[in-house]
Amino acid sequence: MSEEALTETLPPIRHWPAVDPTGTDFDPVLADLMREGPVTRVQLANGEGWAWLVTRYDDVRRVTNDPRFSREAVMGRQVTRLAPHYTPDRGAVGVLDPPEHTRLRRSVAAAFTAKGVERVRERARGMLDELVDELLQDGPPADLTATILGPFPIAVICELMGVPAADRHAMHTWTQLILSSAHGKEAGEKAEREMSAYFSDLVGLREGSTAEDVTSLLGAAVGRGEVTLEEAVGLAVLLQVGGEAVTNNSGQLFYLLLTRPDLVERLRSDRAIRPRAIDELLRYIPHRNAVGLSRIALEDVEIGGVRIRAGDPVHVSYLAANRDPDVFPDPETIDFSRSPNPHVAFGFGPHHCPGGMLARLESELLVDALLDRVPSLRLAVPPGQVPFRKGASIRGPAALPVTW
């Protein structure tokens, strides 16, 4: 087939602006793209050119688990993307392919297994109880984000990472600058350099450690020559920053619950459904804006009836996959009895979020503590007056005003 004929058969390029939906509204542009077909072409606000967008559940899982689609090949290319600045370090875990990616993830795997996460459960519950004690003592009204949903995930990820409590505030400040484009490229890059320098010192001090926290595991792996200090630091930064995504996710979760009293009543009247309900909320809540890191096809591959050529960039949407009606009947409905519920809220394949179990644990603890200890918890303002973050890759309320 001639190049001209091939060009004629390509679907049109759809411009996908950064729309910043509020609340738990689903991105209307993504909804349109899903209706257009399983594989479309998009151009986002930054980067260059266009990329394929894959939205069906089975196709998303296939692309993210297929070695013919490479993260490493993105390096040095300005693929169309949401983020205004994109400067991944060569060798960073997010842009590695197996087997190097597998080697690096293995160094911290023990901290994120069910056993590793259970290690921090009681400490996490204790820290959360202290925060709720303070909330109740200070009395209403309160900003649930500032008092609970912000400090709690910071405390938990710092506990898992082995970051001393005295350094939590600095970690939070750096993370906010790294995650948001609102402060500009220079501020984000400076924060990342400062966090990297911090972890370089901390990991370096723990090269002979036998402790189970992440920086100790990384220090020991560096000491054994399994990973370099630079690799360990890059992974530590990624995990620390990722740990705070729970703040935004849980902010959306409680915004949703506090605007749907019928859901709260079910969770209060039947504690046994809470774990399954949290999985359904994780499936339903649109936790990010647009799409994240892309992949590059290393050879021609057919996906969803479309031939993706070697060298083409490909984005997948986990949000769209979680609304695929072939896998999740009536996907726009929140169904606490949905079973099975094989959602991909934490990704899929080698690059799935390592902190998925930890995030689920935190969500369970938050639902238990706030629903049981603050039974009359409700929004202090109309739903439309809750301010949501602008210009952030991870969606969530900037504040969640509540009373009881």
Side-chain angles (χ1 to χ4, degrees):
M1 183 183 292
S2 69
E3 188 174 330
E4 291 77 13
L6 176 63
T7 303
E8 287 173 13
T9 64
L10 290 174
I13 298 170
R14 300 298 187 197
H15 181 56
W16 190 358
V19 291
D20 267 333
T22 56
T24 54
D25 292 349
F26 198 78
D27 184 334
V29 181
L30 179 55
D32 286 344
L33 289 163
M34 291 165 65
R35 282 190 287 269
E36 281 187 26
V39 183
T40 55
R41 291 200 300 163
V42 294
Q43 183 176 42
L44 289 123
N46 294 287
E48 298 169 3
W50 57 268
W52 295 105
L53 174 70
V54 176
T55 55
R56 298 280 168 85
Y57 181 89
D58 288 343
D59 296 336
V60 165
R61 292 190 10 146
R62 182 180 167 198
V63 168
T64 52
N65 208 30
D66 188 328
R68 293 176 296 176
F69 293 96
S70 167
R71 275 277 181 84
E72 207 160 338
V74 175
M75 290 298 296
R77 291 187 53 169
Q78 292 295 319
V79 176
T80 187
R81 62 187 185 273
L82 175 69
H85 57 277
Y86 175 62
T87 53
D89 297 321
R90 189 165 292 282
V93 69
V95 289
L96 282 180
D97 295 329
E100 288 298 283
H101 175 267
T102 312
R103 172 182 61 83
L104 198 48
R105 287 272 293 244
R106 190 185 298 124
S107 64
V108 295
F112 294 97
T113 60
K115 181 183 176 185
V117 169
E118 280 301 311
R119 184 180 67 82
V120 300
R121 179 186 288 271
E122 289 312 311
R123 179 79 183 107
R125 183 182 279 122
M127 293 188 293
L128 180 55
D129 280 341
E130 289 175 17
L131 290 170
V132 177
D133 287 343
E134 290 175 25
L135 177 79
L136 295 172
Q137 183 178 319
D138 292 343
D143 174 4
L144 201 63
T145 300
T147 54
I148 305 288
L149 305 181
F152 178 57
I154 296 166
V156 173
I157 193 61
C158 285
E159 180 79 12
L160 195 79
M161 295 293 294
V163 171
D167 297 333
R168 286 176 193 166
H169 180 72
M171 284 292 163
H172 175 59
T173 302
W174 287 328
T175 296
Q176 293 309 302
L177 290 169
I178 291 167
L179 282 179
S180 176
S181 60
H183 304 281
K185 175 183 176 181
E186 290 76 16
E189 290 178 348
K190 180 172 182 284
E192 191 164 348
R193 286 195 303 272
E194 290 172 353
M195 187 186 282
S196 295
Y198 175 92
F199 276 121
S200 183
D201 291 342
L202 194 59
V203 171
L205 288 170
R206 298 182 177 179
E207 285 193 12
S209 178
T210 57
E212 296 177 293
D213 61 80
V214 170
T215 49
S216 294
L217 292 172
L218 285 170
V222 170
R224 293 190 299 269
E226 294 168 1
V227 300
T228 66
L229 179 59
E230 187 180 26
E231 288 173 332
V233 168
L235 184 51
V237 169
L238 182 78
L239 294 170
Q240 180 71 39
V241 171
E244 283 201 44
V246 175
T247 295
N248 292 347
N249 252 9
S250 56
Q252 283 196 299
L253 187 150
F254 278 96
Y255 173 84
L256 183 62
L257 290 178
L258 295 175
T259 54
R260 290 282 303 272
D262 56 313
L263 299 180
V264 174
E265 182 51 41
R266 284 208 62 200
L267 292 174
R268 284 207 172 104
S269 61
D270 186 0
R271 290 179 58 94
I273 68 165
R274 290 181 184 181
R276 187 182 289 179
I278 285 167
D279 261 327
E280 173 67 348
L281 292 168
L282 288 169
R283 177 197 71 83
Y284 180 85
I285 290 169
H287 66 280
R288 68 161 301 119
N289 276 318
V291 283
L293 289 173
S294 61
R295 292 167 172 79
I296 304 294
L298 299 181
E299 58 186 76
D300 289 8
V301 186
E302 188 175 305
I303 298 287
V306 172
R307 181 175 291 268
I308 294 172
R309 299 290 187 184
D312 285 355
V314 182
H315 279 290
V316 301
S317 173
Y318 293 119
L319 272 60
N322 280 341
R323 302 287 181 105
D324 186 336
D326 291 340
V327 180
F328 306 100
D330 198 7
E332 306 304 319
T333 298
I334 299 171
D335 179 4
F336 287 167
S337 63
R338 190 183 296 278
S339 182
N341 190 349
H343 67 76
V344 285
F346 298 115
F348 192 74
H351 285 278
H352 74 276
C353 174
M357 274 195 240
L358 183 68
R360 189 181 278 106
L361 167 71
E362 291 178 56
S363 297
E364 288 178 12
L365 292 175
L366 282 164
V367 166
D368 285 348
L370 289 170
L371 265 58
D372 296 343
R373 296 193 59 195
V374 198
S376 57
L377 186 70
R378 60 191 184 279
L379 286 181
V381 297
Q385 290 182 21
V386 174
F388 274 73
R389 297 179 191 276
K390 300 292 183 187
S393 58
I394 308 299
R395 289 174 56 179
L400 197 56
V402 295
T403 189
W404 57 90

